[in-house]
């Protein structure tokens, strides 16, 4: 279940790089967050359109405030083979957009919403772990739910 956050992570729409938080819900109850500030890339604004490509989120930097969960998450994300979650392309206009996010070797289209605050953009979206081949995460009867909510705050150039 620790790894789920990763995803949230990945999609974090980490357009440039300030911070990303993924909220992972547990079943039957509870939750945890995955956080990172290791995001590389840029978000460009032209007129009223935002664009980004090749944004990289370092899986190694994911932090859940629990060392054992961190290691489990990184293993589920196969971080040694796939060290980054990549936002391959993202385009937004009018507070909504679509990104192509690659976790491990799987790329998926993900809709997102965003708001601009000064020279930053706050991006929000959800990802399905199952769509990235991540399933069956549980420990002592507590499992990770499929949907992970991700938010990221990134600078705009």
């Amino acid at each position: 279940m620790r790894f789920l956050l990763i995803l949230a992570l990945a999609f974090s729409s980490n357009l440039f790089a300030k911070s990303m938080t993924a909220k992972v819900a547990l079943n039957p109850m509870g939750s945890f967050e995955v956080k990172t500030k290791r995001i590389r890339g840029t978000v460009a604004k032209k007129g009223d359109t935002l664009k980004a490509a090749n944004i990289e989120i370092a899986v190694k930097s994911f932090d859940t405030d629990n060392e054992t969960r961190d290691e489990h998450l990184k293993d589920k994300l196969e971080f040694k083979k796939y060290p980054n979650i990549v936002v391959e392309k993202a385009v937004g206009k009018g507070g909504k957009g679509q990104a192509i996010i690659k976790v491990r070797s799987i790329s998926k289209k993900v809709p997102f919403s965003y708001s601009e605050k000064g020279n930053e953009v706050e991006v929000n979206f959800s990802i399905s772990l199952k769509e990235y081949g991540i399933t069956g995460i549980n420990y002592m009867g507590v499992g990770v739910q499929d949907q992970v909510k991700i938010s990221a705050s990134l600078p705009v150039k």
Side-chain angles (χ1 to χ4, degrees):
M1 66 179 126
R2 294 107 170 142
F3 80 75
L4 292 182
L5 271 177
I6 95 209
L7 219 71
L9 28 141
F11 293 35
S12 342
S13 330
N14 309 85
L15 303 174
F16 172 151
K18 193 160 195 186
S19 65
M20 187 237 29
T21 300
K23 294 183 181 180
V24 179
L26 303 175
N27 186 6
M29 59 190 274
S31 65
F32 67 94
E33 292 185 342
V34 176
K35 297 180 180 183
T36 186
K37 291 187 177 184
R38 300 247 340 244
I39 303 167
R40 286 183 294 180
T42 60
V43 176
K45 182 173 182 177
K46 184 169 185 179
D48 59 352
T49 301
L50 295 177
K51 292 184 179 183
N54 300 313
I55 304 297
E56 295 182 349
I57 301 101
V59 174
K60 184 178 179 178
S61 69
F62 288 175
D63 182 10
T64 67
D65 286 332
N66 179 301
E67 216 173 284
T68 301
R69 184 169 42 214
D70 291 351
E71 292 307 315
H72 181 72
L73 171 61
K74 292 170 188 175
D75 287 345
K76 284 287 185 179
L77 292 174
E78 301 179 65
F79 84 102
K80 290 182 180 175
K81 186 173 181 181
Y82 308 104
N84 299 307
I85 290 173
V86 179
V87 177
E88 297 178 317
K89 179 180 179 182
V91 178
K93 183 175 182 177
K96 297 186 181 202
Q98 187 169 49
I100 298 173
I101 298 171
K102 183 164 131 179
V103 177
R104 297 173 16 202
S105 63
I106 301 170
S107 295
K108 295 287 178 183
K109 290 182 182 178
V110 176
F112 63 88
S113 63
Y114 70 92
S115 60
E116 295 180 69
K117 296 177 184 170
N119 290 332
E120 289 186 358
V121 63
E122 186 172 310
V123 181
N124 295 287
F125 61 94
S126 293
I127 61 163
S128 164
L129 297 175
K130 185 189 289 184
E131 288 184 356
Y132 288 94
I134 300 169
T135 61
I137 303 168
N138 64 64
Y139 178 72
M140 295 180 67
V142 177
V144 171
Q145 292 189 4
D146 182 52
Q147 293 293 312
V148 174
K149 294 181 180 182
I150 301 166
S151 64
S153 178
L154 309 161
V156 176
K157 293 190 174 201

